[in-house]
Structures are given as structure tokens and as C-alpha cells.
């Protein structure tokens, strides 16, 4: 590495540390009494951070941490003292965008939230699985009930067919009986007419016989 590159790298490291420290503190207004040897009073986190004390992997006791999204998270895996020119440039570019200083409590809360979300997801998954099982049992019962209903329907249709056949046979027998009764009735009427005529003939004959005189009767030899 050339002397010029080393010098540029050192300057960028200082600039990067100052940017990180300033970002953590973000003073809105201050006077000279608030700044001593590049110490910044943090009105957002309640911290006093010196640029040479800024870390990308702070301890919990430091009171702050970093929240990074996307590929920027990879920048937090390296120390500020061992970076290269591009490393420092990337931090300065992403600071305030995909790289933010946050209180330690935020990360703890985030971790807790993630745990809660995982628990909720697990409960939802368990509830969903239970619901699926209940649906499967309900569907199985419905299929069984439908099978029984179909069998009962088939039996009813067979019984209806049998009754329809029996009704048709009975109707035919009734029609035959009605026809035979009509024949018998006609024969009976004919017989009654013949009997009435025979009775009438007998009555006429009897009347004639009663009115004849004895002399009209034939003599015996």
C-alpha cells in the first residue's frame, strides 16, 4: 500500500469515526461548553461519545447499538481500525439510511418482539394445524353421512320401484276385474230380461187355461 493510500485510509477512518459519533449524538444546538476534545453530548440516546470510542460492535454497557438492514449488516462484522478505504466510504454513505444508531433497549425489545412473533407464529401454526385436523375430521364425517344417505336413497329408490310395480300390477288387475264385472252385469241383465219374458209367457198361458169352459175340454173315449 502506498503512502498516499495509507494517508487517505487514515483520514477516512477519522472521518468515519466522527460521522458515527455525530450520528449517535445528533446535537440540534450546542455551544462551546458542550464540546470538549471532540466529545459530543447525545440528546437522542443520553450518551457522551468520543469519536475514538465509537465501535461497530459496542458492548451492552455502552448504551447504544447499531441497526443495519440489507447488505449493510456485513459492515458491522469488521472493526473500524481494520477497514479499507471502500469500507469507510460505505459506512459514511449508508449512515442514516440503512445504518442507524439505536438504544440497546430497542434491540432487546426487537429481539423480544421477534421471539413473541415466533411464539405467535407457532401458536398460529398450531392453531392452523388443529383447524386443518378438525376440518379433516368434519369432512370424513360428512363423507360417511353422505355415504349412508346415498345408501338409504338407493334403498328408497328400490322400494319405490317395487311399490310402483306392485301398484301397476294392482291397477291391471283392477282394470281386468272391472271389465269382467261389466260382462257379468250385462249377462245378468240379459238373464233378467229373459226371465221376465218367460214369467210373462207363463202368466198369459195360465190365464188362458183358467178362462176355458169344461165343454171346451176334449172328451175322453
Amino acid at each position: 500500500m502506498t503512502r498516499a493510500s495509507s494517508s487517505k485510509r487514515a483520514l477516512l477512518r477519522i472521518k468515519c469515526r466522527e460521522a458515527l459519533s455525530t450520528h449517535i449524538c445528533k446535537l440540534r444546538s450546542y455551544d462551546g461548553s458542550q464540546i470538549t476534545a471532540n466529545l459530543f453530548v447525545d440528546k437522542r440516546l443520553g450518551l457522551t461519545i468520543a469519536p475514538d470510542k465509537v465501535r461497530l460492535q459496542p458492548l451492552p454497557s455502552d448504551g447504544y447499538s447499531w441497526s443495519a438492514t440489507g447488505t449493510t449488516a456485513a459492515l458491522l462484522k469488521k472493526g473500524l481500525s481494520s477497514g479499507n478505504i471502500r469500507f469507510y466510504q460505505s459506512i459514511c454513505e449508508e449512515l442514516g439510511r440503512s445504518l442507524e444508531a439505536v438504544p440497546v433497549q430497542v434491540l432487546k425489545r426487537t429481539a423480544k418482539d421477534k421471539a413473541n412473533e415466533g411464539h405467535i407464529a407457532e401458536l398460529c401454526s398450531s392453531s392452523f394445524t388443529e383447524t386443518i385436523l378438525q376440518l379433516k375430521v368434519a369432512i370424513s364425517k360428512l363423507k360417511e353421512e353422505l355415504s349412508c344417505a346415498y345408501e338409504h336413497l338407493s334403498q328408497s329408490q328400490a322400494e319405490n320401484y317395487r311399490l310402483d310395480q306392485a301398484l301397476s300390477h294392482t291397477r291391471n288387475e283392477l282394470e281386468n276385474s272391472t271389465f269382467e264385472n261389466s260382462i257379468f252385469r250385462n249377462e245378468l241383465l240379459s238373464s233378467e230380461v229373459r226371465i221376465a219374458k218367460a214369467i210373462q209367457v207363463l202368466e198369459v198361458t195360465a190365464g188362458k187355461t183358467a178362462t176355458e169352459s169344461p165343454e171346451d175340454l176334449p172328451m175322453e173315449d
Side-chain angles (χ1 to χ4, degrees):
M1 181 181 293
T2 64
R3 182 174 297 179
S5 296
S6 297
S7 177
K8 183 177 181 181
R9 174 177 172 273
L11 289 174
L12 282 174
R13 182 171 63 248
I14 294 172
K15 180 181 177 182
C16 182
R17 284 184 175 278
E18 290 179 346
L20 291 171
S21 178
T22 302
H23 176 75
I24 292 173
C25 299
K26 267 191 177 176
L27 283 176
R28 296 182 182 275
S29 62
Y30 55 88
D31 52 36
S33 63
Q34 292 177 302
I35 304 177
T36 305
N38 285 330
L39 294 179
F40 296 85
V41 179
D42 179 23
K43 285 190 175 181
R44 187 176 61 177
L45 302 180
L47 300 173
T48 300
I49 306 296
D52 61 344
K53 299 298 182 181
V54 174
R55 310 183 208 192
L56 293 180
Q57 298 95 25
L59 299 174
S61 58
D62 291 334
Y64 72 94
S65 187
W66 297 101
S67 174
T69 58
T71 57
T72 307
L75 297 175
L76 300 179
K77 296 180 180 180
K78 187 182 293 187
L80 286 170
S81 59
S82 59
N84 54 30
I85 292 175
R86 182 57 191 159
F87 173 74
Y88 300 125
Q89 289 175 338
S90 297
I91 289 180
C92 292
E93 290 172 359
E94 297 300 327
L95 193 59
R97 298 168 55 189
S98 61
L99 179 63
E100 290 280 352
V102 294
V104 177
Q105 291 81 0
V106 172
L107 291 183
K108 287 182 178 179
R109 186 164 57 251
T110 302
K112 184 178 179 180
D113 291 342
K114 288 182 178 179
N116 290 336
E117 289 174 0
H119 181 61
I120 292 173
E122 183 179 353
L123 289 176
C124 290
S125 177
S126 176
S127 177
F128 179 75
T129 302
E130 184 178 355
T131 302
I132 291 297
L133 290 176
Q134 291 176 350
L135 286 175
K136 286 184 177 179
V137 172
I139 291 173
S140 178
K141 289 182 178 180
L142 284 175
K143 286 183 177 179
E144 184 177 349
E145 291 176 359
L146 284 174
S147 179
C148 293
Y150 180 77
E151 183 178 356
H152 180 70
L153 178 62
S154 298
Q155 293 176 353
S156 298
Q157 288 177 339
E159 182 65 16
N160 287 340
Y161 178 77
R162 186 186 67 79
L163 291 175
D164 185 65
Q165 291 295 106
L167 180 61
S168 178
H169 179 71
T170 302
R171 187 182 297 113
N172 291 335
E173 289 184 346
L174 180 60
E175 290 177 354
N176 293 334
S177 298
T178 301
F179 179 73
E180 291 176 355
N181 288 338
S182 177
I183 294 175
F184 292 153
R185 184 165 52 252
N186 291 334
E187 291 180 352
L188 179 60
L189 291 174
S190 298
S191 298
E192 289 178 350
V193 170
R194 288 196 298 271
I195 291 172
K197 288 182 177 180
I199 292 173
Q200 186 178 6
V201 170
L202 290 175
E203 288 178 347
V204 171
T205 305
K208 288 181 179 182
T209 304
T211 56
E212 287 180 355
S213 58
E215 57 271 13
D216 294 329
L217 293 177
M219 300 290 294
E220 291 182 1
D221 294 335

